[in-house]
Amino acid sequence: MPGIGFEWQFPSDVMRFMDTRGKTPAQTRPPSKSVAFRWSDPGVTIESDDGEVEIVTDLVRTWPALRNQLVLIGELITALTGTPPDLDSMTNQALARNLAGAGLNQYLVNRSSSGRSRGSAVGREDRLLAFAEGHLKPVDVQPGQGLPLLTRSTSGRAMIEFPVPGNIIESAEVRQNQELPRNVLFAKGELIAVEYGSTSPRGVAQGTIDRKLAEVPDVLARVGSAATAQASAVLKPVLPRGHSPSPELLGFVAVLYYYLERFSDRRMKKSTDGPKAWFFALPRMNLRSVYCHLLSEADRSAFHELVNGLSPAEANQRACPRAYVGGSSWENPLTVGEWFTSILRGDAPAAPVTADDDYAGIGPRGADHDKMSPPGGYPAHVNPGRASAWFTYAMGRTSAIAADSPFVFEFRDVMSFGEQTDRLRYEDFVAMAANLSAYAGLTNVPGH
């Protein structure tokens, strides 16, 4: 059964983290991937992406579960802005009716008047409880019970305070191969706030989906890639005359040539977003694990023949011919032959990996990873719970562990799903989520 999850990120001029102890936002900006608050049911998290506010949903496999997440997000936006979503403006009215039927904002706004009324049920210092079917509801509780608290900042803007679920620490610093003690920005249970500071709550959205390996060519076609045709061409000489590659082998090799296609894009040079910048559908998989677990023995043998049959010119081709930027401009010297061989054999270190190289994103990836899972040279997201820094990076983060493991893609180009802007309002975010859900294979998506 397919799964789907979403991220919706807001720049600091729209929403930002605030310290309720009077410090400035610049002093207390949480580092990337810090969790500020989480509702386990229906599965919605507020976290930091280098200080910007990001709303993240758990992976779900049914429309009702996703709808509950969308309801909670809509009510969070309503509580912050004081204005409910304009469902009448949505092109997909079946979807709008479905959300309205689920009672979107029924506890937060005055329903006595028609149209988009200002929220009147949520006041200063109301505590908001998330309960069944994703709703936020003002409740009369005693302080300290761990519920979000609606307040107003000193600027008069709307804020919602959250008790943080665990220590939020600043980025670690490594000197002489030693990780220095980190400063705690917020201790577990302390309050951190999200402040709304714009008249137009628009954010950048991304969606993550599960696919079978055999369905990879369809995903690549969706984003206009020619990698599947190239994969078919390079596989033809290694298969018996008249035989076609299995769907799984074709999908796997297509992903490799999709990497090469994207890393050759002229826009790749010095992108501030790092090596994943121009992957409109970003593979999140550890590709060696895909080779080991999602291919048959015959398919692995055919790929082995492909690697051994590379001409010197093909083997010595740079996998990443253009520079990209992490902390600084990075030239990745990896060749196609070295990369493909590491898929077969892994990338085990010859000596212990230093903490300095680990944080910098350079050096071997490990016996169970290939040399591009993830690509070298891009500093890892810092995460206090990690065992190794670079495996928090999106490319290569997910490993196939069994023959029925899914292949995970992150769609970074939501314009492929009906929205023609990279900053979506809530109504557009919902529409995109429904479109991508229908494409992913969820059933009973309204209007699809």
Side-chain angles (χ1 to χ4, degrees), residues 102-114:
L104 176 64
N105 293 324
Q106 64 175 309
Y107 297 101
L108 300 184
V109 299
N110 185 350
R111 292 284 182 180
S112 61
S113 60
S114 60

Side-chain angles (χ1 to χ4, degrees), residues 5 207-212 215-217 219-220 255 258 281-285 407-411:
T208 298
I209 65 170
D210 285 351
R211 305 307 278 179
K212 294 179 180 178
E215 297 171 323
V216 163
V219 174
L220 300 185
V255 167
Y258 178 54
L282 176 71
R284 300 195 68 171
M285 302 300 296
F407 195 100
V408 180
F409 275 101
E410 178 182 284
F411 272 97

Side-chain angles (χ1 to χ4, degrees), residues 43-112:
V44 175
T45 300
I46 296 178
E47 66 180 36
S48 168
D49 193 328
D50 292 325
E52 294 186 345
V53 176
E54 188 169 41
I55 300 173
V56 181
T57 69
D58 290 358
L59 200 73
V60 295
R61 302 190 184 278
T62 67
W63 169 254
L66 176 57
R67 182 183 63 193
N68 291 350
Q69 294 173 335
L70 296 174
V71 165
L72 175 60
I73 293 169
E75 297 189 347
L76 179 65
I77 295 296
T78 299
L80 277 170
T81 66
T83 304
D86 184 8
L87 299 182
D88 291 338
S89 71
M90 294 179 61
T91 301
N92 185 344
Q93 277 297 296
L95 177 60
R97 289 192 297 270
N98 191 269
L99 289 176
L104 176 64
N105 293 324
Q106 64 175 309
Y107 297 101
L108 300 184
V109 299
N110 185 350
R111 292 284 182 180
S112 61

